[in-house]
Amino acid sequence: MKILLVEDEPKVAAFLEKGLSEQTHAVDVAYDGLQGLQQALATSYDLIVLDQMLPGLNGLDVCRRIRAQNTSVPILMLTALGETDDKIRGLDAGADDYLVKPFAFQELLARMRALTRRRQENPAGEAPLRLADLSLDPVRKQVTRAGQPIQLTAREFALLHFLLRNQGRVVSRVDILEQVWETSFDTGSNVIDVYINFLRKKIDKDFTPKLIHTLVGMGYVMKED
């Protein structure tokens, strides 16, 4: 796997580069936000590991600019800021996942595997999924509603894909964590609610009927209103 690591702390960068290389990954390292952005836009990567606090251009701005041109590459954001609002800002900027410093290297590897697993799966032969005027093409990785293209991050796409495959059925937060995140996550975290809100803003806010519904205490269901 080809990875871009954007980390300004030399010791942390050296540790991660060594560890990832020992896992047989090819690693490019950028030590500031501007360099990281240039490399991310100039080269095709399987994963970007992005520190949030960077000189030159902070990680949130780097993430937003990458997402403006590349909606599919998984982005894992590293942050020393562990409050919920800090995490939400990272997710809102386009990151697919976050990891709070200090962290265990094995957890980083687990998050990376979870982020890239679905991208590496071959969905050839799976027909487009539809509900009302919403369409998701798992082969071309395209989503439209009322004929309008909808730009989603890799994690948003995976979540919508799961909800559409289970349309009409109530899915719990645990179901989503196990099937979409595929890694250990704090079940008390509000990350599911955050991503559901991201999807609602993109596929429901300006359209009718509403398709994503919350059943308090039970979970979510995707169906026509």
Side-chain angles (χ1 to χ4, degrees):
M1 183 162 60
K2 189 171 181 60
I3 300 169
L4 173 62
L5 170 64
V6 189
E7 169 61 65
D8 66 312
E9 297 182 37
K11 290 184 178 180
V12 175
F15 168 76
L16 291 177
E17 181 181 17
K18 181 176 184 294
L20 293 173
S21 297
E22 288 176 350
Q23 296 291 318
T24 71
H25 299 303
V27 184
D28 290 341
V29 182
Y31 296 95
D32 62 61
L34 289 173
Q35 181 188 7
L37 178 62
Q38 291 171 354
Q39 290 182 224
L41 298 182
T43 306
S44 177
Y45 291 100
D46 299 303
L47 177 75
I48 297 174
V49 179
L50 175 65
D51 188 16
Q52 183 169 330
M53 301 174 69
L54 294 166
L57 192 65
N58 68 58
L60 295 178
D61 288 334
V62 173
C63 191
R64 291 188 189 99
R65 296 191 188 187
I66 293 172
R67 279 287 172 251
Q69 298 191 41
N70 187 334
T71 61
S72 63
V73 61
I75 298 176
L76 172 61
M77 184 165 284
L78 304 179
T79 175
L81 307 173
E83 296 299 321
T84 297
D85 287 347
D86 298 314
K87 297 172 183 177
I88 290 174
R89 277 191 284 272
L91 296 170
D92 204 21
D96 297 289
D97 201 356
Y98 57 82
L99 192 56
V100 178
K101 295 179 177 179
F103 54 83
F105 184 68
Q106 290 302 318
E107 183 177 3
L108 172 67
L109 294 178
R111 298 289 184 95
M112 289 170 49
R113 288 193 297 269
L115 280 176
T116 57
R117 186 177 295 119
R118 286 187 177 275
R119 190 183 184 212
Q120 293 170 346
E121 289 175 353
N122 180 12
E126 185 177 355
L129 300 173
R130 294 183 175 86
L131 178 62
D133 55 356
L134 175 70
S135 176
L136 179 148
D137 188 328
V139 177
R140 295 181 174 84
K141 302 295 184 185
Q142 295 175 346
V143 176
T144 62
R145 179 136 198 211
Q148 300 181 33
I150 306 292
Q151 299 299 322
L152 301 179
T153 66
R155 182 68 73 187
E156 291 167 350
F157 185 93
L159 176 56
L160 181 60
H161 191 191
F162 176 71
L163 292 174
L164 279 172
R165 282 193 289 110
N166 291 276
Q167 58 183 272
R169 172 177 169 263
V170 179
V171 294
S172 69
R173 293 160 57 91
V174 173
D175 291 333
I176 294 173
L177 286 172
E178 291 179 348
Q179 298 299 318
V180 179
W181 265 256
E182 300 178 350
T183 188
S184 175
F185 234 95
D186 177 9
T187 55
S189 168
N190 68 343
V191 68
I192 300 299
D193 309 273
V194 169
Y195 270 91
I196 290 290
N197 285 333
F198 287 167
L199 280 182
R200 281 182 167 139
K201 289 177 182 178
K202 293 184 177 183
I203 71 167
D204 266 355
K205 181 180 177 181
D206 298 322
F207 302 94
T208 55
K210 304 307 179 188
L211 300 178
I212 301 176
H213 306 274
T214 301
L215 279 72
V216 179
M218 298 175 64
Y220 305 96
V221 60
M222 198 152 194
K223 63 180 182 178
E224 292 191 56
D225 197 1

